Amino acid sequence: MATVPSVSYSITVRLEVPAGGQAVSQLTHAVESAGGVVTALDVTNAGHEKLRIDVTCAARDTDHAQAIVDQLEAIDGVVIHKVSDRTFLMHLGGKIEMKSKVPLRNRDELSMAYTPGVARVSMAIARNKEDARRLTIKRNTVAVVTDGSAVLGLGNIGPEAALPVMEGKAALFKRFAGIDAWPICLDTQDVDEIVRTVQVIAPGFGGINLEDIGAPRCFEIERRLRELLDIPVFHDDQHGTAICVLAALTNALRVVNKNIDAVKITMAGAGAAGNAVLRLLLAAGARNVVVCDYLGAVHKGRDDLDDSLQWIADHTNAEGYAGDLRGAIKGADVFVGVSAPGILTGDDIAAMASDAVVFALANPEPEVSVDEARRHAAVVATGRSDYPNQINNVLAFPGVFRGLLDAQADGVTQEMLLAAAGALAAVVTPEELGPNYIVPSVFHPDVAGAVAAAVRESAGGRARGFTEA
């Protein structure tokens, strides 16, 4: 629940008030006295006796929004006509659409775009399938694939409920990188079915973006698809997050004047995101890392290790620490949380090394109170938009896919991910860099282009397969 009014719970109340008297002046006071924030007040119809007014305001949650409406309705002479939830209005009918890029104004244009002229293009592709990248939407289209099993912080809510999120993802692809993306929401959580479905639809796309698929199935799905397909397969929850974390940490360490190969890093979370973040940090030079899950530190002595946790145990925690997260964070220079809310306190952050860096990325509630963390750490980042240093995957995935598509890459490599992270970090200039600005805004005009250029150069035109650290 939001603790302050948020545009996520923005409502527009259409009401009528008497044309004379004090009712109009009381509207703003009523909203504010209920704890809301008025963002707009528009007279939509005026008469001698009545005024129709749209009052737009931000609330904390749905109950708070209703309380604001009740407060408005209590004003003498006010008649409520309609209350609109602005977030739901934005989603009404979906957020994306398909439209033609070519005119279809007469028979000549129709005969080239469709039959009979299109047959010549189809036969050219039949002779050389690679021409599909040049002559069809394949060159600029990405499938955003989910099974609805791990959607945002909402959990396993299914493919229909995941669709608004995937639509939003597609809209971000278009807005930030000019890429046409389409949601593919699958009504199955069977690994074999997902792999086969994506395999058979792949000819129509230039890349596959796996999204919100629960661990550990997501690891196998990604691995198998990368073996089967000749287009890039990118799991944003893993690799998009990893790119953003490495970019932010690169700049955070510059702020505190520490080197990645010399710092102690404690991580909370060993799922899809944690695994990918860890691998990229190690590839970037991290040497002293301890990873904790809900059972405590991951180490070679545990008898519950699956393949993913075994890899973590083999590549981290050289001293074999077997305690809990609170013990692991003592003396650490860096904390990276991709786990659960409220698992640490301000005292835990105070026990870290001097000039500590804290990335508490659980959403919507981070692993530790942001205000408490900021009291003790030199640099704090979260996944939230209401604090500085928001780690948001939209900083990475549009530019990554723009670079992959431009290079006509048929795979993703660790080098590309490192290049993307380096380019993202470099968008923040030395003059701008500081404790409250370690990553650029998602609306910074240079972000997608810089990441795309780095990935394109790393791809070298074509890239095959994926190599882990």
Side-chain angles (χ1 to χ4, degrees):
M1 181 184 72
T3 56
V4 296
S6 165
V7 70
S8 296
Y9 292 98
S10 180
I11 59 172
T12 297
V13 184
R14 176 160 290 181
L15 48 79
E16 276 190 351
V17 300
Q22 302 298 313
V24 174
S25 62
Q26 291 176 324
L27 296 176
T28 299
H29 175 73
V31 173
E32 292 176 347
S33 66
V37 176
V38 175
T39 56
L41 194 152
D42 301 305
V43 177
T44 60
N45 189 280
H48 293 294
E49 296 183 358
K50 298 284 186 180
L51 295 178
R52 179 170 292 175
I53 299 176
D54 285 351
V55 180
T56 301
C57 53
R60 292 190 299 271
D61 53 36
T62 52
D63 291 338
H64 184 219
Q66 184 58 52
I68 292 172
V69 174
D70 294 342
Q71 193 90 339
L72 288 169
E73 195 168 24
I75 300 173
D76 188 38
V78 165
V79 177
I80 303 292
H81 284 281
K82 184 178 181 181
V83 180
S84 300
D85 186 310
R86 294 178 64 222
T87 297
F88 277 79
L89 283 178
M90 176 180 281
H91 289 256
L92 191 64
K95 302 185 292 295
I96 59 176
E97 64 179 358
M98 192 285 289
K99 63 181 181 180
S100 177
K101 294 166 62 177
V102 298
L104 297 172
R105 297 165 299 193
N106 50 52
R107 287 182 178 275
D108 282 354
E109 290 169 348
L110 186 61
S111 68
M112 288 187 290
Y114 196 52
T115 185
V118 71
R120 296 176 54 214
V121 180
S122 293
M123 289 308 298
I125 295 172
R127 290 189 294 269
N128 179 17
K129 289 183 180 181
E130 286 297 303
D131 276 346
R133 292 181 185 259
R134 183 171 63 90
L135 296 172
T136 74
I137 60 171
K138 186 180 181 76
R139 70 180 296 171
N140 196 50
T141 305
V142 169
V144 183
V145 179
T146 189
D147 64 357
S149 62
V151 180
L152 297 177
L154 305 176
N156 189 353
I157 59 176
E160 292 86 359
L163 185 53
V165 181
M166 302 308 116
E167 283 185 13
K169 197 82 171 193
L172 295 175
F173 267 111
K174 190 67 172 179
R175 165 62 175 83
F176 292 106
I179 293 171
D180 297 314
W182 202 256
I184 306 294
C185 298
L186 304 179
D187 191 14
T188 178
Q189 294 183 5
D190 179 82
V191 170
D192 292 337
E193 282 194 310
I194 293 172
V195 170
R196 180 57 182 161
T197 301
V198 176
Q199 181 186 10
V200 298
I201 67 169
F205 298 94
I208 305 295
N209 183 84
L210 301 176
E211 190 76 22
D212 293 349
I213 299 175
R217 291 176 304 109
C218 59
F219 302 126
E220 183 179 356
I221 291 168
E222 181 189 36
R223 177 186 60 78
R224 288 172 58 180
L225 286 174
R226 282 181 161 167
E227 292 173 352
L228 290 168
L229 302 182
D230 62 353
I231 56 176
V233 178
F234 183 87
H235 187 195
D236 188 47
D237 300 319
Q238 294 185 64
H239 306 300
T241 302
I243 289 168
C244 293
V245 168
L246 177 56
L249 183 58
T250 298
N251 282 339
L253 292 177
R254 288 171 179 160
V255 170
V256 298
N257 196 29
K258 296 180 181 180
N259 295 321
I260 193 169
D261 60 355
V263 295
K264 177 186 176 183
I265 301 173
T266 297
M267 292 183 58
N275 193 286
V277 168
L278 170 65
R279 289 172 185 256
L280 203 59
L281 292 180
L282 293 176
R287 294 290 175 265
N288 184 3
V289 185
V290 175
V291 179
C292 296
D293 63 7
Y294 69 100
L295 293 175
V298 179
H299 59 92
K300 292 181 181 179
R302 279 178 43 170
D303 58 5
D304 64 333
L305 303 181
D306 58 20
D307 290 344
S308 176
L309 291 176
Q310 186 63 59
W311 192 96
I312 293 173
D314 290 340
H315 292 83
T316 64
N317 197 0
E319 296 181 359
Y321 172 74
D324 62 8
L325 175 62
R326 283 194 165 87
I329 204 172
K330 289 180 180 178
D333 300 280
V334 177
F335 169 71
V336 178
V338 280
S339 54
I343 57 176
L344 292 174
T345 67
D347 290 341
D348 295 318
I349 306 304
M352 295 177 67
S354 60
D355 291 327
V357 173
V358 172
F359 288 1
L361 305 182
N363 241 339
E365 296 299 325
E367 285 83 357
V368 61
S369 160
V370 182
D371 293 331
E372 283 294 304
R374 287 166 65 87
R375 286 180 55 202
H376 302 290
V379 181
V380 177
T382 71
R384 298 174 58 119
S385 60
D386 53 349
Y387 287 96
N389 300 327
Q390 182 190 20
I391 308 300
N392 189 327
N393 285 10
V394 75
L395 289 165
F397 70 81
V400 168
F401 270 99
R402 180 75 276 157
L404 292 169
L405 293 172
D406 289 348
Q408 296 189 26
D410 47 16
V412 183
T413 66
Q414 196 79 278
E415 289 72 24
M416 293 179 194
L417 306 184
L418 291 169
L424 178 57
V427 172
V428 179
T429 67
E431 294 75 24
E432 297 171 320
L433 181 64
N436 293 312
Y437 194 71
I438 58 173
V439 288
S441 163
V442 296
F443 294 103
H444 194 296
D446 296 338
V447 168
V451 173
V455 171
R456 190 165 53 244
E457 181 178 353
S458 179
R462 289 299 180 96
R464 181 71 182 177
F466 184 82
T467 55
E468 297 284 10

